[in-house]
Amino acid sequence: MSVELLDGAIILGFIEDDEAFNGSVEDRFSHLDTNQDGLLTYPEMLKELQCFRMFETHFGIDVKTDPDELSHVYNSLFLQFDHDSNGSVDLEEFKAETKQMMVAMANNLGFLPVQMILDEDSFLKKAVDRELTKLQSHN
């Protein structure tokens, strides 16, 4: 984990960079697709969904959440990715939903920088790293 500054423009720049964004999404998809069949099932995506850590309430302190509520939330998230409701998520569905979620984050962040703690392999960290590389190449 690292502490980084980012804003909506950094996220949007990452999304608009087809090579960086698509490459990152394809890498993540391949990592999650444990049986390498080109489809993500609910069990394969569950770890990724749990990484969203939506149930933390205060500065990273976990709270005990009802298992039925957790199951419902994770199932709802999976259904967001499963656009054709066939019980699995293909690469295009994964890419489209990931893009939609990142655009929503960018829109909600706006263009004033915020400091965030980011996982090293997160899409947001990849966006920050891309921006830093871009800035360093201009100097």
Side-chain angles (χ1 to χ4, degrees):
M1 290 191 167
S2 63
V3 177
E4 306 289 347
L5 280 174
L6 77 152
D7 65 8
I10 290 172
I11 297 170
L12 292 174
F14 176 66
I15 294 166
E16 291 166 0
D17 182 340
D18 286 338
E19 184 179 339
F21 180 73
N22 291 338
S24 294
V25 170
E26 289 164 7
D27 288 347
R28 177 68 53 83
F29 185 90
S30 179
H31 173 75
L32 295 172
D33 186 13
T34 55
N35 65 0
Q36 299 300 302
D37 67 352
L39 299 171
L40 299 179
T41 60
Y42 179 77
E44 287 175 316
M45 272 195 71
L46 186 57
K47 259 192 193 172
E48 185 75 1
L49 297 174
Q50 290 169 335
C51 287
F52 293 149
R53 300 183 64 87
M54 294 171 292
F55 294 101
E56 291 179 1
T57 57
H58 184 65
F59 299 108
I61 299 170
D62 291 329
V63 296
K64 184 91 169 132
T65 306
D66 178 24
D68 290 336
E69 181 183 359
L70 278 174
S71 177
H72 176 72
V73 169
Y74 291 140
N75 189 53
S76 295
L77 283 169
F78 181 78
L79 293 174
Q80 283 292 119
F81 280 84
D82 185 12
H83 294 171
D84 60 9
S85 300
N86 68 349
S88 61
V89 176
D90 64 31
L91 176 59
E92 292 309 311
E93 290 171 316
F94 187 75
K95 194 180 298 183
E97 193 61 30
T98 300
K99 184 175 188 173
Q100 187 174 345
M101 288 178 9
M102 291 192 69
V103 167
M105 284 189 272
N107 289 338
N108 285 320
L109 274 179
F111 295 98
L112 293 175
V114 292
Q115 196 170 32
M116 295 178 77
I117 298 172
L118 302 176
D119 287 326
E120 290 300 317
D121 65 341
S122 71
F123 290 121
L124 292 178
K125 177 68 167 111
K126 292 179 188 308
V128 169
D129 290 346
R130 177 196 163 275
E131 185 70 14
L132 288 173
T133 300
K134 191 173 91 175
L135 290 173
Q136 289 171 346
S137 71
H138 287 113
N139 291 332

